[in-house]
Amino acid sequence: MSQWDPTARLSYWAFHTNRRPAYMRFAYLQLGSDAAAEAAVDAAFDSIMGEWLRMLHMDRLDAYAWTVLKHCLVDRQRRRHPWQQRPEPMDISAFEAALKEAHADQYEVLTDTIRFYSAVSRLAERQRDAVLLRYGLQCTPGEAAAVMGVDEATVRSYLGQAHRRLARLLAASAGSPEPAEPPEAQEPQKAQEAQEAQEAPDSPESAES
């Protein structure tokens, strides 16, 4: 960093100051430990610093940084729980709030924590991220979108999908068959999911412009 020009240094520290609080809170929700969250976030910013000059030329800098953080969280989770196949959030209270806001008929099923945790684990990764940011960190949809590096409309779509998915999964686990979405509702969702899969990278390298 000592060889960077002043503008690059200022832009990095501005980004660090702006994003670190949300990253720390999100990491804590995922890891359940201040020390683990700090280690993961520090690792993420170390990686971001190493790529910052290149990131300044990216169209989707925030999306790249978010992907770096997610990779660091997965790495930290695997170190702590190497037997766990799929990293899952430590705190499900945000998902309870999301479902309650959706006025789901099966909200009473939340008394069965194991059943609810199973439903949460079956949400798509970006849906879980949006729910944790919106209800766990109390971000507005716009703030969550800025952190994730996507459009606000995309975050609202993730939240709507999460509401519906949780309600369907809990209804099915309570003994009633999971209702199928109307055909007219399936096609737009499939198209949007395909588009979002292209727009939101799964690895830092694919987030470059």
Side-chain angles (χ1 to χ4, degrees):
M1 184 181 288
S2 62
Q3 299 178 0
W4 293 2
D5 63 64
T7 300
R9 286 199 299 272
L10 286 173
S11 64
Y12 172 80
W13 287 117
F15 179 85
H16 183 281
T17 300
N18 183 268
R19 290 288 180 261
R20 184 177 175 84
Y23 282 12
M24 280 293 299
R25 292 165 62 203
F26 183 86
Y28 180 81
L29 288 178
Q30 295 280 9
L31 300 173
S33 159
D34 287 332
E38 186 169 12
V41 172
D42 285 347
F45 275 110
D46 284 345
S47 296
I48 291 169
M49 182 188 297
E51 296 291 331
W52 187 252
L53 296 182
R54 190 164 62 96
M55 289 173 64
L56 289 175
H57 298 286
M58 295 179 183
D59 292 333
R60 302 170 60 218
L61 183 153
D62 281 293
Y64 183 94
W66 181 251
T67 303
V68 170
L69 174 66
K70 293 302 297 296
H71 277 270
C72 289
L73 290 174
V74 169
D75 180 65
R76 182 61 51 175
Q77 287 169 320
R78 286 175 177 166
R79 291 186 190 182
R80 298 175 71 201
H81 307 293
W83 60 87
Q84 185 172 303
Q85 295 296 315
R86 182 178 182 179
E88 296 172 357
M90 298 291 295
D91 185 352
I92 60 173
S93 60
F95 300 92
E96 294 180 3
L99 189 60
K100 187 174 182 180
E101 183 167 298
H103 305 295
D105 293 336
Q106 296 296 326
Y107 184 67
E108 64 273 10
V109 177
L110 296 183
T111 56
D112 187 340
T113 304
I114 295 176
R115 185 181 301 166
F116 186 60
Y117 203 96
S118 176
V120 166
S121 72
R122 294 174 65 185
L123 288 177
E125 179 181 353
R126 297 185 185 98
Q127 293 172 14
R128 294 199 307 271
D129 289 351
V131 168
L132 282 170
L133 287 167
R134 176 69 181 93
Y135 300 102
L137 274 63
Q138 302 299 312
C139 293
T140 66
E143 291 168 343
V147 171
M148 295 176 68
V150 298
D151 295 334
E152 182 175 341
T154 300
V155 167
R156 292 185 182 278
S157 176
Y158 291 155
L159 293 172
Q161 292 166 15
H163 289 158
R164 295 189 295 272
R165 180 68 170 158
L166 283 172
R168 290 199 305 272
L169 289 170
L170 289 173
S173 66
S176 57
E178 182 176 341
E181 290 192 0
E184 62 272 14
Q186 293 178 6
E187 293 306 320
Q189 180 172 334
K190 289 179 180 178
Q192 178 165 349
E193 288 177 349
Q195 180 178 353
E196 290 167 354
Q198 294 177 346
E199 293 176 350
D202 291 325
S203 62
E205 290 78 9
S206 60
E208 299 179 39
S209 56

